[in-house]
Amino acid sequence: MSEEEKAGIGHNSDNTKDVGGIAGQRLQSFIGRIERMEEEKTALAEDVKEVYAESKGVGFDVKIIRKLVSLRKMDNEKRREEEELLDLYMTAVGMS
Amino acid sequence: MSEEEKAGIGHNSDNTKDVGGIAGQRLQSFIGRIERMEEEKTALAEDVKEVYAESKGVGFDVKIIRKLVSLRKMDNEKRREEEELLDLYMTAVGMS
Amino acid sequence: MSEEEKAGIGHNSDNTKDVGGIAGQRLQSFIGRIERMEEEKTALAEDVKEVYAESKGVGFDVKIIRKLVSLRKMDNEKRREEEELLDLYMTAVGMS
Amino acid sequence: MSEEEKAGIGHNSDNTKDVGGIAGQRLQSFIGRIERMEEEKTALAEDVKEVYAESKGVGFDVKIIRKLVSLRKMDNEKRREEEELLDLYMTAVGMS
DNA sequence: ACCGTGGTTAGCTTTC
DNA sequence: GAAAGCTAACCACGGT
């Protein structure tokens, strides 16, 4: 990946400064930031997979762990939504 | 729902020691690790959104930046695949 | 949309019979079926919107109704997942 | 969670008569209608999947059919404009 | 120059 | 080869 960065922003050889001016540089900066974050996300996703693999390696059932994680997540979301609903009710009743 | 919770088959707090023993602790650890990573992923996704918002704030068209990022990603993937193919060729020819 | 359909299967002018033979007809049939279903889905989505609008018209808070519907949906999903989890446990223990 | 349910602020069954009166019935009706339509939508989505599966079963490439459907769905004019705009940006940034 | 946001859907990847 | 989970694009609605 470092090659591409050194080479410019893309798959062609044009230098950005010449054609895009200051806006082009700015755009490059945005794209660079986004791409770095996306890479981190990908890395994390891989780490998660490794953890599942490890858990499987010590005898756990991956499917079950997934369900557990999923249920815990649903719990949190449900709780959050219920709180929001309560807020809505209170607002509707003028108790906000 | 309360039945399941009482039955202990659920995903709830600290019944681990009793029913799972050491394995339960291990399981908890896996789940905790996974959840932490998932949170990080979520946080990164939010950061990415913020960058898009910022870029929009200075006049860029978000849709287009998304397209650019996506195109660049495809470029990289394609190049990677081509390199892998090249490696295969070299291996096949004994130049690995 | 009707123009495209008259023109053939796509965004070009070739007639399917000529270029695709029997397979082309079959393909057309699949695409037609899919598109009809998608239209129905769209129509239903519009109906749902109308119901929300109607409920708003008689004084209900749309946001609240949306949350209620959403929570009920989460309930169902959660229940379903819990049952699946139970199945997984039973399978794991050999009681399947 | 059990607290909310006991408190009656939730989304649960037949506390409607008591707390909501005629309005509660009306609300129930709206929610029921919406849920039925949503179920129909879900059923249709499943049907669509089946059609794709069937088409695959007789030798078509699902990916390609999806693309065809998607292309047909796209508004040509809009697509052209987006491409032109994208070209402009790519030129500006030197990715032409 | 209406923006932000949430919800919905589709498609891609990976798993078994 | 089927099935599932994850991710991302799209769209419409509400609010300000």
Side-chain angles (χ1 to χ4, degrees), chain B residues 77-91:
Chain B
E77 281 166 6
K78 200 180 162 219
R79 212 165 38 73
R80 239 197 38 228
E81 285 193 23
E82 282 167 359
E83 280 167 9
E84 281 172 18
L85 185 58
L86 181 56
D87 286 348
L88 283 176
Y89 280 132
M90 293 184 70
T91 302

Side-chain angles (χ1 to χ4, degrees), chain A residues 63-64 67-68 70-71 74-75 77-78 81-82 84-85 88-89 92, chain C residues 63-64 67-68 70-71 74-75 77-78 81-82 84-85 88-89 92:
Chain A
K63 219 167 177 176
I64 287 178
K67 278 254 175 287
L68 288 172
S70 153
L71 280 168
M74 289 183 77
D75 284 343
E77 279 166 8
K78 200 158 169 277
E81 283 219 32
E82 280 167 358
E84 282 172 18
L85 182 61
L88 283 176
Y89 278 133
Chain C
K63 218 166 179 176
I64 287 178
K67 276 249 176 292
L68 288 172
S70 151
L71 280 168
M74 288 182 78
D75 284 344
E77 280 166 7
K78 199 157 169 277
E81 285 221 30
E82 281 166 358
E84 282 173 17
L85 182 61
L88 283 176
Y89 279 131

Side-chain angles (χ1 to χ4, degrees), chain D residues 42-93:
Chain D
T42 302
L44 277 167
E46 280 160 12
D47 290 346
V48 169
K49 278 198 177 178
E50 280 172 30
V51 175
Y52 277 116
E54 186 188 345
S55 72
K56 182 178 191 169
V58 299
F60 285 111
D61 182 327
V62 171
K63 215 166 179 179
I64 287 177
I65 300 193
R66 279 192 189 280
K67 278 241 179 297
L68 287 172
V69 171
S70 151
L71 282 171
R72 281 171 56 88
K73 195 177 171 190
M74 273 189 189
D75 186 33
N76 290 334
E77 205 180 298
K78 201 183 161 213
R79 222 171 85 247
R80 248 200 24 233
E81 283 186 24
E82 280 170 1
E83 280 168 10
E84 281 172 20
L85 188 54
L86 181 55
D87 285 351
L88 282 177
Y89 274 114
M90 291 184 71
T91 302
V93 169

